[in-house]
Amino acid sequence: AQKVTQAQTEISVVEKEDVTLDCVYETRDTTYYLFWYKQPPSGELVFLIRRNSFDEQNEISGRYSWNFQKSTSSFNFTITASQVVDSAVYFCALSEASSGYSTLTFGKGTMLLVSP
Amino acid sequence: DADVTQTPRNRITKTGKRIMLECSQTKGHDRMYWYRQDPGLGLRLIYYSFDVKDINKGEISDGYSVSRQAQAKFSLSLESAIPNQTALYFCATSDRGSTSGRSTDTQYFGPGTRLTVL
């Protein structure tokens, strides 16, 4: 069965530090999507990125970057020069081709606290 | 205006009451979902629907029912609410559109409904 593990329950950093959020997944599918979502204190869930299993290129978007490694089944998320506004819970999620991409399996989330 | 709306945003009810949470979307997506979020447990899928005539149970459907009234509307009902159904409930939508034969499914979430059952 598919599974997503976010081993870091909570991370605290000081503003301007770099921080990496870990995500490890398990799946028997060879075709799947991986996602990251952000949940700020206001509670909504914001989509950040989708990566398909055929594309292992790293992606950078401003201060955000993602490192996808199939060899270690990991899809880690790095925030460079963190800011207070980055404080949120971040979820990693997996969607498999065998389910028609119909369902998302979420990790339990990592709470990031960025202090001034 | 938000693409995915949920009503009510907050609700306090009593054990045994019937309650309905509503979700509407203007994204034109055909797939809709209901999740609940509990502290430390992430999000868990309750029900999902691929179109008006297609309803599927998720991981934790017991105690819940749904209705897909139209492509844009998907309601979640608690027939007889109990305290352990106190949670944050999210509706989500996605598009089954595909590129090069592969689905580009991404789920977009509503703002959530905070439900408290006393």
Side-chain angles (χ1 to χ4, degrees):
Chain A
Q2 69 274 23
K3 185 178 178 182
V4 177
T5 302
Q6 295 179 255
Q8 304 151 308
T9 303
E10 184 174 322
I11 301 174
S12 294
V13 299
V14 177
E15 218 171 10
K16 298 185 182 179
E17 286 185 24
D18 298 347
V19 58
T20 295
L21 309 181
D22 296 334
C23 174
V24 174
Y25 62 93
E26 296 176 26
T27 179
R28 294 180 180 178
D29 280 34
T30 57
T31 305
Y32 50 88
Y33 279 105
L34 294 163
F35 301 80
W36 276 95
Y37 287 86
K38 174 183 180 180
Q39 186 176 38
S42 52
E44 73 271 24
L45 276 162
V46 179
F47 165 71
L48 294 178
I49 189 172
R50 180 189 66 239
R51 170 67 67 200
N52 77 56
S53 54
F54 296 95
D55 183 0
E56 286 194 73
Q57 286 189 348
N58 291 337
E59 182 152 342
I60 298 175
S61 176
R63 296 184 296 107
Y64 294 172
S65 62
W66 291 269
N67 181 271
F68 175 34
Q69 292 193 339
K70 290 180 74 172
S71 60
T72 56
S73 297
S74 64
F75 186 43
N76 296 336
F77 173 29
T78 297
I79 300 175
T80 303
S82 60
Q83 300 176 2
V84 172
V85 293
D86 295 327
S87 295
V89 180
Y90 291 87
F91 292 96
C92 181
L94 166 71
S95 178
E96 298 171 308
S98 60
S99 70
Y101 304 104
S102 61
T103 59
L104 275 176
T105 299
F106 282 86
K108 294 183 178 180
T110 297
M111 177 178 287
L112 174 65
L113 300 173
V114 182
S115 56
Chain B
D1 288 340
D3 295 321
V4 185
T5 57
Q6 293 183 232
T7 55
R9 294 294 311 280
N10 289 280
R11 181 72 182 267
I12 299 173
T13 191
K14 294 181 178 179
T15 297
K17 294 291 188 181
R18 184 179 187 276
I19 184 168
M20 179 181 288
L21 309 183
E22 299 186 342
C23 176
S24 295
Q25 54 115 346
T26 59
K27 298 179 79 68
H29 289 172
D30 35 26
R31 297 182 173 187
M32 298 186 73
Y33 310 80
W34 276 104
Y35 292 87
R36 66 175 280 175
Q37 183 181 16
D38 299 277
L41 293 180
L43 279 84
R44 293 180 292 167
L45 182 64
I46 305 172
Y47 271 96
Y48 62 101
S49 169
F50 283 2
D51 62 41
V52 174
K53 295 182 179 180
D54 180 81
I55 303 289
N56 303 279
K57 292 183 178 181
E59 178 186 353
I60 52 165
S61 59
D62 287 349
Y64 301 94
S65 62
V66 291
S67 173
R68 186 82 183 265
Q69 302 95 324
Q71 186 194 33
K73 295 184 183 297
F74 193 37
S75 300
L76 176 72
S77 293
L78 288 67
E79 296 302 324
S80 180
I82 56 177
N84 76 1
Q85 291 177 314
T86 294
L88 183 57
Y89 289 84
F90 285 101
C91 174
T93 74
S94 68
D95 187 355
R96 99 175 56 162
S98 62
T99 300
S100 301
R102 299 198 184 105
S103 171
T104 59
D105 217 22
T106 294
Q107 293 187 25
Y108 295 91
F109 287 79
T113 294
R114 189 166 297 279
L115 175 66
T116 302
V117 183
L118 301 175

